[in-house]
Amino acid sequence: MSLLSLEGVKAAYDGVEVLHGITLSLEPSERLVIMGPSGSGKSTLLKVIPRLIEPSGGRIFFDGLEITAIRDERLLRRVRSRIGYLPQHYGLFPHMTVLGNVAFPLRVVRGLPRREAEERARRYLALFGVDGLADRYPTQLSGGQRQRVALARALAMEPELLLLDEPTSALDPESRLDVLEALFEVARMGKSMIIVTHELDFALEAADRLAFMEAGRVVAVGGPGEVLDSNPRIREFAERMAGAVGSASRS
C-alpha cells in the first residue's frame, strides 16, 4: 500500500484553480523530488497534503486514511502530527532559543516531559551540527543555521512523512552546501520525503523519483535522469537550473 496517494487533487485561490487534478503517490521510505518553474503549483501541492490549504476537489489518502474525508478537527490534528512540513522561510519562533524551538512541539504535540523533549531536541540538533547554538535565538543565526535548526525540529517529531518546500532557497552558496549535506543525511535515514527543490544534484543522487510540474499539472514522473531528459522543455529547465547553480557557486 502507498504511504500517500493523491487522486485528481485540485486547489484554487480566490476562485482561480492552481492545481488541475494532481494524481501522484509515494511509497514508504521513498524520496520524491518535485521540480518545475515558479508558479507551477509546487508549494501549493505540499500545503494541500496535510490540508493547510483545503483542496477544492479530489481525494488524498495517507496510510490508508482519506485525509480529505476528515471532518473532526482533533483527528485532523493527529494526522498532521504524523506529517512534518518545513516551509520555505523556516517558521522558527523568534522569542524562543534554538533548543526551545525544537523542544516546544515535542512537549505540546507529542506530550513529552520537558527533560525528555530537550534531550531529544539536543540529539537532533547534534545530527545537523547545530547543537552548539542551542542557547541562541533565531535572529542570531545565519540563514543556513536557521534552516538546519528547522530541519532538526521537523525530524525530532519523528514524522512518517516529511514535506520540504525549497529548503535551500535564498541561501548564500556556503549555507546552501551546508543545508544540502543535511538533506543528504536525512535521505540516508530512509525517511519518506517529498521535496520541492531546484537542486539537480540532490534530485539525481538522492531521489527515487522526480515529478515535473508546470501550470498546475504533473507533466512527467519517473526516475530523475529519465524525467530530466524526457522532453526539450524539461531539458531546457534543467540546463537553466544547472547554469544558475554554477553561477552562484562562482560568486
Side-chain angles (χ1 to χ4, degrees), residues 45-52 67 76 80 83 85 163:
L45 178 59
L46 287 193
K47 292 176 183 176
V48 161
I49 290 170
R51 281 177 52 188
L52 298 176
I67 298 177
L76 182 58
R80 284 174 177 160
I83 301 173
Y85 169 68
L163 309 174

Side-chain angles (χ1 to χ4, degrees), residues 103 107 112-119:
R107 295 171 57 203
L112 298 184
R114 179 186 291 272
R115 182 174 178 178
E116 186 178 346
E118 291 186 351
E119 286 176 353

Side-chain angles (χ1 to χ4, degrees), residues 4-5 19 46 50 59 83 86 107 125 134 175 200 206 209:
L4 179 74
S5 180
L19 294 182
L46 287 193
R59 305 167 79 191
I83 301 173
L86 182 63
R107 295 171 57 203
L125 288 170
S175 295
L200 295 176
R209 285 190 304 147

